[in-house]
Amino acid sequence: MKFSDVIGNERAIEQIRRMVDSCNIPHALLLHGEPGVPKLALALATAQYIHCTNRTGGDSCGMCPSCLQHQSLNHADTFYSYPITKKGEKPVSEDFDAEWKKFLAQDVIAEDYERWLSIIGNSNAQPLIYASESDNIVRKMSLSAYTSKYKVLVMWQADKMHPACANKLLKLIEEPDHDSIFLLTTDNVKDILPTIYSRTQRIELRKPSTQQIAEHLARTQGMDMTEAIALVAPADGNVVQALRNLDHGSETHDFHNDFVKLMRLAYMRDIAGLKVWSEDIADYKREKSQRFLAYAARMVRENYIYNLHMPQLNYETVEEAQFSKNFARFINEGNVERMLKLFNDAARDIRGNANAKIVLFDVAIKVTILIKK
C-alpha cells in the first residue's frame, strides 16, 4: 500500500511524510475518523513508507524488497493486531492470519467491519483484542528490528482492545524501545482507554470528497465518472458504503425504497401502514437503522436543494432524481429543518439503545404532520 493508493486526506499524508523523512516519528500514532474513512489503508501505507529503502517522490517505491514484503503482508518487522473471536484459551490475532490476509486482499481501502465479521465466520460475534494479545505484542515488540531501522505494529480497531489488554500495553506504549512504532486506528476515538489515548499523537482523518471516491472507482473499476459520481454521492464520504453500492442489490437502493414508502404512507396518513413500516426498519437492527436514518436525512437535504433548480448542486442516483421530480415540492423552508432534526435525533436515540420500534413509529407519525407543512 502506497500513499498514492489512499483516498483523500492529503494533509494527513503530508504530515506523516514529514515525520518519517525527518526521523521524528512519534512512538505511537493514532489515526481516527468516522466509519468508512480509510484509516487502515493509511496505516499500512505509513508502515511501508517507513521501511521502504528507495522512497521516491514522497512515496514508497513499491518495488524494493521491503515494499514487496509489505504488499504480501510478510515483512519481518511489521506486526498486525485486530479484533478476533475466541478460538482457544489464549486467543491472539495470529489465529486468524489466513482470514486477515484474505480480508486485506479483497480491498484494503474498504475496511468493512461487517465483511471482517463475515470472513471470520461469525456475523453475530463481538470480536475483541483480548488480554492474551498483549503478551504476544510485548514479546514481538521486545525483539530487535530484524531487517529495518524500526519495527512497526499496525493495530486495527484499537477501540476494541479489552481493558486488560490496554492496561498491559500501557507501559510498552509509554516507554517503548527506541526502534518501536505503534500505528493505531479507530472509528470510535472516545472508546479508546484514556491512558492509551493520552500517550499517542493523534491525527484525525476526514471524509474523502465525492469526487475523490468517484475517481478511485473510475480508476479501479473502469467506471464512467458520471456514473461513479451518482453511485458515490449517496455514501456521503463513506468509502465502505460507496463500494457497497457497486452491488446491484445495494443498501442504498433498499434505503431509497424504504424512504419512498415512508413518504407515501405519511402523505396518505396510513397509520397502520406506518406502524408496519417502523417495525420493518427496526428489524434492520441498530447499526443499519442508523444508516437508514442518515440516508433519509440526506434525501431531505437533496430534495430541498432540488427546488433551487441548480442540478450541479444535487448528488443523486438516477432512481433518486426520478423520485425527486415529484417529491421535492413537499420539502420546503417550513419543514426542512424540523425534518432533518427528526431523523438526526432518532439516529441519536437508537444509538443510545432506545427502543427502535417506538422511536421509528414516532418518526413516522411526525412525518405525516411535517410533510403537509
Side-chain angles (χ1 to χ4, degrees), residues 41 47 55 95 122 262 308 315 334 352 363:
R55 297 171 194 153
D95 295 339
N122 194 343
L262 168 63
L308 301 178
Y315 292 108
V363 166

Side-chain angles (χ1 to χ4, degrees), residues 82 84-88 90-99:
Y82 37 86
I84 58 170
T85 51
K86 202 167 186 176
K87 272 190 176 181
K90 295 184 177 181
V92 294
S93 296
E94 289 174 352
D95 295 339
F96 290 85
D97 183 64
E99 291 85 347

Side-chain angles (χ1 to χ4, degrees), residues 194-340:
T195 48
I196 294 287
Y197 178 84
S198 65
R199 287 160 175 79
T200 63
Q201 181 164 332
R202 283 83 62 187
I203 297 181
E204 183 176 5
L205 304 187
R206 306 295 183 180
K207 290 180 180 180
S209 68
T210 294
Q211 182 74 18
Q212 288 171 326
I213 303 175
E215 287 173 355
H216 172 78
L217 290 183
R219 182 173 65 255
T220 60
Q221 305 292 331
M223 296 179 64
D224 175 78
M225 271 298 291
T226 302
E227 178 188 1
I229 288 175
L231 186 71
V232 165
D236 189 29
N238 186 318
V239 177
V240 171
Q241 187 58 53
L243 293 174
R244 282 179 184 167
N245 290 351
L246 286 172
D247 299 330
H248 293 298
S250 73
E251 186 174 89
T252 298
H253 174 74
D254 293 339
F255 283 171
H256 175 70
N257 288 338
D258 293 331
F259 180 79
V260 170
K261 187 174 183 179
L262 168 63
M263 294 303 163
R264 286 176 175 165
L265 290 171
Y267 182 78
M268 294 185 294
R269 298 183 181 270
D270 184 346
I271 304 303
L274 288 169
K275 187 173 188 299
V276 173
W277 175 90
S278 64
E279 292 171 348
D280 288 343
I281 303 301
D283 285 342
Y284 278 157
K285 307 304 180 186
R286 187 172 62 177
E287 296 297 328
K288 190 173 180 180
S289 61
Q290 288 178 74
R291 293 200 298 273
F292 166 74
L293 290 165
Y295 173 84
R298 188 187 68 80
M299 284 301 295
V300 169
R301 289 193 299 271
E302 291 294 338
N303 278 273
Y304 180 71
I305 293 171
Y306 189 94
N307 292 316
L308 301 178
H309 304 295
M310 298 176 68
Q312 70 273 19
L313 298 180
N314 269 115
Y315 292 108
E316 294 185 296
T317 65
V318 173
E319 182 181 43
E320 290 167 347
Q322 188 66 33
F323 176 67
S324 293
K325 286 182 180 178
N326 296 316
F327 176 72
R329 61 193 174 93
F330 293 101
I331 305 298
N332 52 59
E333 291 86 351
N335 62 16
V336 62
E337 290 186 4
R338 281 181 286 177
M339 195 87 80
L340 289 172

Side-chain angles (χ1 to χ4, degrees), residues 16-165:
I16 293 171
R17 183 187 292 122
R18 289 198 304 267
M19 291 174 177
V20 177
D21 290 347
S22 64
C23 296
N24 190 28
I25 314 170
H27 65 273
L29 188 63
L30 177 61
L31 304 177
H32 63 97
E34 295 183 30
V37 176
K39 296 169 285 291
L40 177 59
L42 181 52
L44 295 174
T46 299
Q48 181 168 316
Y49 188 68
I50 288 170
H51 288 147
C52 179
T53 58
N54 187 31
R55 297 171 194 153
T56 305
D59 208 343
S60 52
C61 69
M63 300 176 63
C64 69
S66 287
C67 285
L68 295 177
Q69 290 163 15
H70 268 281
Q71 290 162 24
S72 63
L73 302 177
N74 288 311
H75 193 278
D77 293 320
T78 306
F79 312 109
Y80 306 97
S81 181
Y82 37 86
I84 58 170
T85 51
K86 202 167 186 176
K87 272 190 176 181
E89 292 184 5
K90 295 184 177 181
V92 294
S93 296
E94 289 174 352
D95 295 339
F96 290 85
D97 183 64
E99 291 85 347
W100 178 247
K101 289 182 177 180
K102 178 181 178 181
F103 175 67
L104 295 184
Q106 287 182 358
D107 193 342
V108 68
I109 293 294
E111 49 186 272
D112 188 338
Y113 190 65
E114 291 182 15
R115 180 163 58 87
W116 173 240
L117 294 181
S118 175
I119 288 174
I120 63 178
N122 194 343
S123 59
N124 294 316
Q126 293 295 327
L128 292 172
I129 301 175
Y130 289 92
S132 47
E133 178 83 345
S134 60
D135 297 329
N136 200 33
I137 291 172
V138 169
R139 178 182 60 80
K140 290 177 178 178
M141 298 302 281
S142 296
L143 301 173
S144 298
Y146 183 64
T147 63
S148 310
K149 183 177 179 181
Y150 297 102
K151 50 186 182 287
V152 178
L153 174 76
V154 175
M155 181 180 283
W156 181 54
Q157 299 281 358
D159 56 286
K160 300 192 184 303
M161 272 192 285
H162 188 283
C165 175

Side-chain angles (χ1 to χ4, degrees), residues 338-353:
R338 281 181 286 177
M339 195 87 80
L340 289 172
K341 186 176 187 301
L342 177 64
F343 289 123
N344 291 332
D345 287 352
R348 180 204 60 204
D349 292 342
I350 291 175
R351 187 163 54 249
N353 289 321

